[in-house]
Amino acid sequence: MKPIKVGLLGIGTVGSGTFNVLQRNQEEITRRAGRGIEIAMVADLNVERARELTGGKCEVVNDANLVINNPDIDIVIELIGGYGIARELVLKAIANGKHVVTANKALLAVHGTEIFKAAQDKGVMVAFEAAVAGGIPIIKSLREGLTANRIQWIAGIINGTTNFILSEMRDKGLDFATVLKEAQRLGYAEADPTFDIEGVDAAHKVTLLASIAFGIPVQFDKAHVEGITKLQATDISYAEQLGYRIKLLGIAKRNGSGIELRVHPTLIPAKRLIANVEGAMNAVLVQGDAVGATLYYGKGAGAEPTASAVIADLVDITRLATADPGHRVPHLAFQPDAMSDTPILPMAEVTTSYYLRMNVADQPGVLADVTRILADHSISIDAMLQKEPAEGESRTDIIILTHQTQEKNVEAAIAKIEGLPTVMGTITKIRLEELS
Ligand code: NDP
Ligand code: HSE
């Protein structure tokens, strides 16, 4: 059988990794796919560099339209990134009847509904394993391996840059700004790392995971997004003393009345495996009703780890290209006419536990006032840590861990406690998940 022809849009980090791995493992990949997979055309703005990278093994052009309009191309890989030109090219490729592989989580989290609908109407596949947690096959695991389960929740370390920063802050006791500079020097964080450190990248990824897990439309606009920029070294240290680590988690969870979709720094027990995922590594913990907890760990970025996921999608498409569209695995795991309208809950209705740090006057009755306010809001205390005031100081930090409660209760209690004359400044609130 003739090889399936692929057009690659963008030969940067992931594009070049994809080209190289496909060349290197061509024979084995063909044995698996049942047919050769040939990158026949590459489009990149920098044609010189693209020619160097491809070594004359395929046609190189500077206009991506030449690839998506070429009738000989069966699959288009979009590795340009962003929501702009990438969206336009992906939609045009679909309209031209091409299957699409992309690693672009931003594009799918924001425009996924439009893109999947267009692909469905045209009978082509859009595959995006590389868009979440790089080389970890989490999309395939959720969509296929766990298909028997009612997924209860997912909690993932799905941004390597922030995990590196948090690991360094904990290990070396450094503050956020210092470690961020180090991450940039080492090339982990972009010159503009906003999407990573503000939690946006993780929110793109958990939005996609939630759709696949619960059969709901892609709804990035409803996700709660909170990054690590305000996290203080002192909270990492207090969390440690209480037996917890702080990680930036992407969480998607069923909750009686809807679905929680949130990204924020989270305390997790230090004894959990996922709490020990360090540096730029990623991990995703999935709780299914039949299987229980399963954990997926690996490299969430980088040229070849991400290429591994891109090529897995190419192989899947190659195997299924001739199948009746109705017999393929649905893009979002559930059949398009069986999607659920379960709402994404506002943060006020999220249920979790909390770490609260407050600076108080070291005098009788202060703790009693604080605990009374918590009790008035039906908030039960799980653990507490009170520090000795520093030499010559009359103020001290109190750290309280609560049992599970609704966010609106905690917000109301915090407002009351901050009004006490014995409590200084604002209260630091970090959510806590036992993940058990
Ligand atoms: P790069 O910036 O390294 O590569 C993008 C490439 O696309 C560059 O070579 C760029 O050329 C080229 N390009 C830009 N505009 C066009 C255009 N209009 N036509 C053709 N080519 C164009 O990005 P990455 O490889 O890092 O990322 C690609 C995608 O993969 C993104 O969506 C990213 O989020 C995702 N991803 C990346 C991971 C990683 O580890 N890097 C991990 C997981 C996902 P030029 O440089 O000349 O502008
Ligand atoms: N910026 C991402 C990270 C790259 O730090 O994990 C992969 O999506």
Side-chain angles (χ1 to χ4, degrees), residues 132 154-156 158 199-212 223-224 249-252 260-263:
V132 182
I154 297 173
I158 43 183
V200 177
D201 177 70
H204 287 149
K205 293 167 179 167
V206 76
T207 296
L208 294 173
L209 292 181
S211 290
I212 295 169
H224 172 84
L249 288 190
I251 296 173
E260 300 178 3
L261 184 60
R262 48 193 169 100
V263 170

Side-chain angles (χ1 to χ4, degrees), residues 100-279:
V100 171
V101 175
T102 180
N104 193 338
K105 57 266 177 171
L107 174 68
L108 293 181
V110 176
H111 298 292
T113 301
E114 177 189 23
I115 289 169
F116 293 128
K117 168 83 171 64
Q120 183 68 23
D121 291 349
K122 200 70 193 177
V124 296
M125 290 173 266
V126 174
F128 53 99
E129 183 63 69
V132 182
I136 305 175
I138 186 61
I139 302 284
K140 195 162 185 86
S141 300
L142 264 178
R143 195 164 50 186
E144 298 173 48
L146 299 179
T147 199
N149 288 263
R150 184 173 159 82
I151 303 295
Q152 290 154 327
W153 52 260
I154 297 173
I157 296 173
I158 43 183
N159 183 268
T161 304
T162 45
N163 202 50
F164 170 79
I165 293 174
L166 293 178
S167 299
E168 290 288 290
M169 284 175 77
R170 186 180 69 84
D171 272 1
K172 302 186 175 152
L174 298 172
D175 63 20
F176 172 77
T178 310
V179 184
L180 175 60
K181 279 201 198 103
E182 177 69 355
Q184 284 171 312
R185 194 183 65 76
L186 291 169
Y188 288 123
E190 308 279 330
D192 176 5
T194 316
F195 269 24
D196 291 315
I197 61 178
E198 296 294 358
V200 177
D201 177 70
H204 287 149
K205 293 167 179 167
V206 76
T207 296
L208 294 173
L209 292 181
S211 290
I212 295 169
F214 307 127
I216 54 169
V218 179
Q219 297 165 79
F220 171 70
D221 56 330
K222 305 233 174 78
H224 172 84
V225 188
E226 207 178 304
I228 61 168
T229 50
K230 297 195 184 82
L231 206 56
Q232 294 188 22
T234 184
D235 293 311
I236 294 177
S237 162
Y238 285 148
E240 189 92 4
Q241 291 170 48
L242 287 157
Y244 291 83
R245 299 253 166 100
I246 300 182
K247 296 288 183 188
L248 184 73
L249 288 190
I251 296 173
K253 191 191 266 186
R254 279 186 211 271
N255 158 343
S257 47
I259 286 161
E260 300 178 3
L261 184 60
R262 48 193 169 100
V263 170
H264 50 71
T266 314
L267 271 81
I268 48 181
K271 64 186 177 205
R272 299 266 178 273
L273 265 181
I274 194 169
N276 294 283
V277 171
E278 300 290 9

